Amino acid sequence: SHAAKTLTNVVCDTDLPDQAIDLAVLPVLKTGEAEFNRDLLQQAHVRLRLGGQLIAAVDAVKDHWLLKQMQDLFEKVHCHQSQDGWVYVGKKKSDLKKQRNFDATIDFRVDDRMMKTYSRPSVFAHRSIDTAARIMIREVTIEKGANVLELGCGNGAVALAAATRSLTGNVYAVDCNTRAVQCVRRAADLGGIGNVTAIVNHDGNLSTDVQPCDLALLNPPYYGDFAIATHFVNTAIRNVCSGGKIWVVTKQADDYHDQEWHGAVFESANVIQGYDLICYR
């Protein structure tokens, strides 16, 4: 007899594959983003054939949240406890009566122009323009024709604002989250902004995708023991041309002042609404 062949396709995308399935398995971290997990749970249910099963597991011994989400999707949920958490199994008996839309549209102003961007669960900042981004948009001058690099672009508001001011320069919006890049591309396309290039990248090797830039805009996340912030600054140094500027908005200014960057010299710092806006040249 011949052993049966199993075909496995590995797909990296913003959403679950849009096809009918018989089984979905979803691991959920207790520290994970709630709305992102709700989005994936709903997507899995929608894609299940009738009679198909969703198995969801969480690393929380005292879980209540994931159980409630499963009970909202399935008529009956089987629960299995382990020493590390819970596993829940639901069988699809019917389609959902109503699907929730987790995406958001965000309106914001740049100079005298009203602009629009989008966000999805897991994208920073979902459903809003955070204060640090507003400071960057308001305080950093973008000259016409400037090439601009934004690292950790999130929903893309800063990059889109830079593009409208640069007009003829190239603006590169970079994020390791594919959904963030998807949102920036959507906003640029629907807004008719043709000088934004959204790039998925995590390692900082951008030389083949990015021209030398006149300035870089950074709003690094605070987790990672400053490693991500260091990665952002070093990536900016490699991609900003001589005489260009690197702008950082942060609430951790002391960490930056304690660093000696190879290739960037401190120029100025201003405190605005509780944030430090730091400039390197």
Side-chain angles (χ1 to χ4, degrees), residues 36-244:
F36 178 59
N37 285 318
R38 288 192 187 101
D39 187 359
L40 293 182
L41 286 163
Q42 178 176 272
Q43 286 190 33
H45 187 283
V46 168
R47 286 156 176 75
L48 284 176
R49 295 186 178 93
L50 293 180
Q53 289 186 322
L54 169 60
I55 301 174
V58 63
D59 59 337
V61 176
K62 297 182 179 180
D63 171 69
H64 299 287
W65 183 86
L66 183 56
L67 175 59
K68 175 64 166 56
Q69 308 311 309
M70 291 289 287
Q71 289 172 335
D72 288 345
L73 293 171
F74 297 96
E75 296 178 12
K76 186 175 182 179
V77 177
H78 297 278
C79 307
H80 307 276
Q81 187 176 23
S82 73
Q83 63 179 3
D84 299 315
W86 288 86
V87 177
Y88 304 114
V89 182
K91 179 181 286 189
K92 183 173 179 177
K93 299 286 186 66
S94 61
D95 293 326
L96 296 176
K97 293 181 180 180
K98 184 178 180 180
Q99 294 182 36
R100 181 179 173 185
N101 181 9
F102 294 95
D103 297 358
T105 302
I106 307 169
D107 296 311
F108 64 106
R109 181 181 294 278
V110 178
D111 303 326
D112 59 351
R113 175 177 177 176
M114 287 302 300
M115 299 187 63
K116 191 185 301 289
T117 191
Y118 303 91
S119 71
R120 304 190 64 195
S122 81
V123 173
F124 181 82
H126 186 33
R127 301 188 183 280
S128 67
I129 309 298
D130 77 305
T131 302
R134 292 185 182 278
I135 290 171
M136 190 76 81
I137 291 171
R138 187 176 66 244
E139 300 294 334
V140 177
T141 300
I142 308 293
E143 301 289 348
K144 182 178 179 180
N147 289 341
V148 182
L149 171 66
E150 187 193 6
L151 297 174
C153 63
N155 61 41
V158 173
L160 294 165
T164 63
R165 288 168 171 163
S166 174
L167 290 176
T168 57
N170 296 309
V171 175
Y172 304 98
V174 181
D175 206 294
C176 64
N177 186 332
T178 55
R179 283 190 168 191
V181 170
Q182 179 190 55
C183 289
V184 177
R185 289 174 178 169
R186 181 185 180 196
D189 288 345
L190 295 181
I193 303 172
N195 59 328
V196 173
T197 301
I199 302 168
V200 178
N201 180 273
H202 74 283
D203 62 10
N205 294 323
L206 300 171
S207 58
T208 59
D209 300 308
V210 173
Q211 296 178 7
C213 292
D214 301 292
L215 66 162
L217 309 175
L218 316 181
N219 179 15
Y222 297 131
Y223 56 83
D225 295 327
F226 204 64
I228 300 175
T230 299
H231 171 64
F232 275 26
V233 174
N234 286 330
T235 300
I237 289 170
R238 293 195 300 271
N239 289 279
V240 170
C241 58
S242 178

